[in-house]
Amino acid sequence: MAGIIAIIAGILLIVYAVQHDKKSDDSKWLKDWGFWVITGLILVCGIFSLNDSSPSSMFTVVMLLALLGLLYWRITDRSKKDLHGKKRVLHTLVTVLFALIWFFIYGPINAALQPDTTTTSSPASSEKETSHNNKYVRLDGEKIYYTSSKKYSLNQTDDSWSAATAKVNNVTAYKTEEGYTYGSKRGRKEVQGMLAINVTVKALKDIEVSMDNATVSIPNINEQHDIETKEDWDEIDKGISKTGTIYVPIYKLKNVNSIKSLRFKFDCQNQDTDDDIDNFDHTYDMTVNLN
């Protein structure tokens, strides 16, 4: 809209100049370089702002047209000593005064005419944001948004090592939003899903848990991954139970029902130096069926 106003103004100016030259014997606007410079500026401004219909742009165009009109008034009167009985200095003063007024009011008026982007939003974006607020898990300072999830309650215990017991309490499968990427270990590769495995390790002796090096494989979708965890597992004293959630990114996940089973492996070390050397370390290798 702003561009159309400027183009129409330029065309009307040329039409007016043609009519003026037909009636005037001493001053020919169409032969004046100043006229074509002003007209050209108007038309160029119009072309470059054709797609801009904001109120602030229309205000700018109108003010610019007025300023160019004043400049041309001053230029075309350069050969005269006065205009309608007024000294030529009036042209300069009016033009300078107009430019100063525009300079001081442009900022506030332009800001007032700008749309309030901080308080307005489309219904679709508002609905999407509300959905995000209710559907995400937080990991490594990131919000991992998902579209659907399924939780499997298991309580599967492995007591194959005398120094500790391990139990998988539950597993939750998440279908992440399209285009989500995660993890430096995977080079920010795009993933389609995420597994959250809630685990409890109870120390029957002083142990050290190497959970950071744990792996999870998912046979039916042919994927194996390192895990991510929020908790600091490391050393667990005798008689202490530690519960935490480990997270596994998934490259290909059609839906949350696609995973039928998983294999969860992590290492532990016995810190009791008086214990049997054959009992020093242990690898938990748990096959978890998701029913």
Side-chain angles (χ1 to χ4, degrees):
M1 186 64 181
I4 294 175
I5 293 175
I7 291 175
I8 291 175
I11 294 173
L12 290 177
L13 188 58
I14 294 174
V15 172
Y16 182 79
V18 172
Q19 297 298 322
H20 172 272
D21 287 2
K22 288 181 178 179
K23 298 177 181 179
S24 177
D25 296 328
D26 58 344
S27 175
K28 302 295 184 181
W29 285 16
L30 295 177
K31 295 181 179 181
D32 192 295
W33 65 268
F35 169 81
W36 289 111
V37 169
I38 299 298
T39 305
L41 286 174
I42 293 173
L43 293 174
V44 168
C45 289
I47 292 171
F48 279 100
S49 57
L50 268 176
N51 296 324
D52 194 344
S53 59
S54 63
S56 61
S57 296
M58 288 189 282
F59 168 74
T60 301
V61 167
V62 171
M63 294 295 285
L64 182 61
L65 290 175
L67 179 60
L68 291 176
L70 287 172
L71 287 173
Y72 187 67
W73 178 37
R74 180 64 183 86
I75 292 171
T76 55
D77 193 45
R78 63 185 179 273
S79 61
K80 299 179 181 180
K81 294 183 178 180
D82 55 37
L83 181 67
H84 305 303
K86 304 295 183 182
K87 296 293 184 180
R88 282 191 303 169
V89 70
L90 176 64
H91 305 61
T92 303
L93 289 177
V94 171
T95 304
V96 171
L97 181 62
F98 180 85
L100 288 174
I101 293 174
W102 187 16
F103 176 79
F104 285 110
I105 70 172
Y106 177 76
I109 292 181
N110 188 57
L113 293 175
Q114 289 286 354
D116 189 358
T117 57
T118 60
T119 59
T120 59
S121 60
S122 66
S125 64
S126 299
E127 182 180 348
K128 185 176 181 181
E129 182 64 26
T130 301
S131 174
H132 279 181
N133 290 337
N134 295 327
K135 288 188 177 182
Y136 70 85
V137 292
R138 187 183 293 274
L139 182 62
D140 289 347
E142 294 186 55
K143 289 182 178 180
I144 305 169
Y145 295 112
Y146 62 91
T147 57
S148 59
S149 65
K150 185 173 183 179
K151 185 175 182 179
Y152 301 87
S153 297
L154 301 166
N155 294 320
Q156 181 173 328
T157 302
D158 185 334
D159 55 5
S160 58
W161 189 38
S162 61
T165 60
K167 181 172 68 171
V168 175
N169 302 307
N170 57 71
V171 175
T172 304
Y174 297 98
K175 175 66 175 175
T176 55
E177 287 190 344
E178 185 178 354
Y180 179 73
T181 60
Y182 178 78
S184 58
K185 292 180 181 179
R186 282 154 294 280
R188 306 300 300 184
K189 186 172 181 178
E190 182 174 338
V191 296
Q192 295 182 354
M194 186 79 65
L195 277 183
I197 305 172
N198 187 261
V199 183
T200 298
V201 177
K202 183 176 181 180
L204 304 178
K205 298 180 180 180
D206 291 347
I207 63 171
E208 183 175 341
V209 181
S210 302
M211 194 65 77
D212 289 340
N213 297 320
T215 61
V216 172
S217 59
I218 308 169
N220 69 290
I221 61 173
N222 195 34
E223 290 194 25
Q224 177 177 326
H225 298 292
D226 299 330
I227 64 95
E228 303 286 351
T229 180
K230 300 177 182 179
E231 287 77 23
D232 181 11
W233 290 85
D234 295 339
E235 297 179 357
I236 305 178
D237 293 340
K238 179 180 178 180
I240 301 298
S241 294
K242 184 175 181 62
T243 299
T245 302
I246 65 170
Y247 294 87
V248 186
I250 303 172
Y251 295 151
K252 302 292 183 181
L253 185 67
K254 186 175 181 180
N255 56 62
V256 293
N257 298 307
S258 298
I259 301 174
K260 305 303 181 183
S261 66
L262 58 89
R263 187 179 178 185
F264 174 39
K265 298 171 65 176
F266 66 97
D267 296 326
C268 292
Q269 293 80 40
N270 187 348
Q271 292 184 322
D272 187 349
T273 56
D274 296 330
D275 207 351
D276 185 357
I277 189 65
D278 294 332
N279 201 39
F280 171 73
D281 56 15
H282 180 75
T283 297
Y284 281 99
D285 189 347
M286 307 175 69
T287 297
V288 180
N289 293 313
L290 305 180
N291 299 319

